[in-house]
Structure formats: structure tokens, C-alpha cells
Amino acid sequence: GIVMTTAGADQDQAVVLPNLANPVAWSDTLWGTENSVSWECSISLPAIDNQKVWAGLKLTNDQLIATDANQAYFKFQTDATNSEAFTDFTVWHFVHSIGGTDFITALPITVAADTIYHLKIQIDSSRQISCFVDGEQYNLVQSATAGGNIAGTQKGAVKSLALTDNIDFIPYVGIMNQAATARDMVLFYQKMSRILFE
């Protein structure tokens, strides 16, 4: 794997993404919501203060929930500065958006330093998302208010509502510094697959 390190100024970021300017297999492949896409990675954080962390499927590399109308990704943040006002800044959240409506699930997993987290997203043939952490599936919220709602859930097989059809995602893993000190993330691996039918 690799160690991703931000620069030292406030809001500096380090993001891993496919080469979008000179397409390679990762960026030349259409990772569509209709293609039963599966994505996963393993990461760890040496520190868990003054940072935003995001990993999953988005349209842009921006960590903000409001930026992309369609997305499915994991997010951890230690505060609301330059981001959303979560009710709990100690746990993983799973965010998915369908046509501009945001669904935010607060997972019952307290983030700890120097702990390896295996994160996985599975989109089925009905375009519904299943979310896994360390091999365990967690229920996803299926209701939202304007701007999204936050609800704690437990382990279970409740999937998302159907995603918008034919949206081509891009895999992103990123970390943003929220103080004048660089922050690190260890990205052990990332992999992705889809059904090839078009």
C-alpha cells in the first residue's frame, strides 16, 4: 500500500483517484450504477484529530456531501468546519445520494487510530447499495429530509433505495487536514469490479 500525506496548511488534501486526463483501465471503464459495481479498500489512520476522510464512489473528488447529486461513500470527520454538521464526530458515516437527495447513515463504529478498516460497497442489479465494514453488513437509512438526515443503525441487510440509472462513478480515497499539521492515511489496497454487459 501507500501512505497518503497532506501538506501542512489548513484544508490541504491528499486524494487517490484514477488518471482522468490520460485514461487508464480504472478511468476508461464506465463504473455505472446499472453495472452491479463492487468497490472496496482497506485503510488506517495514524491519528484521528483535525481531519476529514472519505472513500468510495463519487462524481468529483470533493469531500462535501452537497457537491455530488449521485454518490456512495464512507466518511469520517472530526468536526463540522468546512463540512457538514454531523451529530456524532467519532463514528464512520455512509453517505449515498440519489438525484440530489442525500441519505446519511451513522454507522455504530467508533473510529480508532492505527486500526485497519475494510470498507466495501456493493451495488446490486436493482441499483441498491449494500454497505460493509470489516466484513459485516450494516443497515442503510431509506428516508431523508432536506439536506439529509442522520440516523444510527445496526448490523443488518437493509439496502438503500435504488440509485439513479446509468450514473458513472469514479473511485476516490481522500484525506483533508483541518489544522496546521499534516495528516496521514495508509491505503493498503483498493479494488473494483463490475458486470460487463455493455
Side-chain angles (χ1 to χ4, degrees), residues 75 83 96 99 106 132-134 144 159 169:
K75 188 172 188 184
S83 199
H96 68 283
F132 302 83
V133 179
D134 296 333
K159 300 180 180 182
F169 286 131

Side-chain angles (χ1 to χ4, degrees), residues 10-142:
D10 185 27
Q11 298 185 58
D12 283 339
Q13 301 180 9
V15 183
V16 170
L17 66 151
N19 188 332
L20 303 177
N22 297 292
V24 293
W26 278 82
S27 52
D28 210 28
T29 299
L30 298 179
W31 304 104
T33 51
E34 77 282 13
N35 295 121
S36 297
V37 170
S38 178
W39 171 93
E40 62 185 88
C41 79
S42 282
I43 63 172
S44 71
L45 304 170
I48 53 170
D49 62 336
N50 299 310
Q51 62 191 280
K52 309 282 188 289
V53 175
W54 62 104
L57 307 173
K58 291 179 59 61
L59 302 178
T60 68
N61 67 356
D62 193 355
Q63 54 89 18
L64 291 173
I65 292 172
T67 301
D68 295 339
N70 297 281
Q71 58 196 340
Y73 70 110
F74 294 89
K75 188 172 188 184
F76 167 68
Q77 59 190 44
T78 54
D79 55 62
T81 304
N82 305 309
S83 199
E84 301 80 26
F86 288 169
T87 56
D88 189 340
F89 292 107
T90 67
V91 300
W92 280 110
H93 289 76
F94 186 80
V95 177
H96 68 283
S97 300
I98 303 172
T101 300
D102 302 323
F103 301 83
I104 306 170
T105 303
L107 302 175
I109 305 168
T110 300
V111 179
D114 295 317
T115 301
I116 298 174
Y117 294 100
H118 176 232
L119 311 175
K120 182 175 181 179
I121 299 168
Q122 178 68 56
I123 302 173
D124 67 17
S125 59
S126 298
R127 305 192 311 277
Q128 292 179 280
I129 304 167
S130 297
C131 142
F132 302 83
V133 179
D134 296 333
E136 298 282 357
Q137 185 174 356
Y138 288 85
N139 295 326
L140 296 178
V141 296
Q142 294 188 335

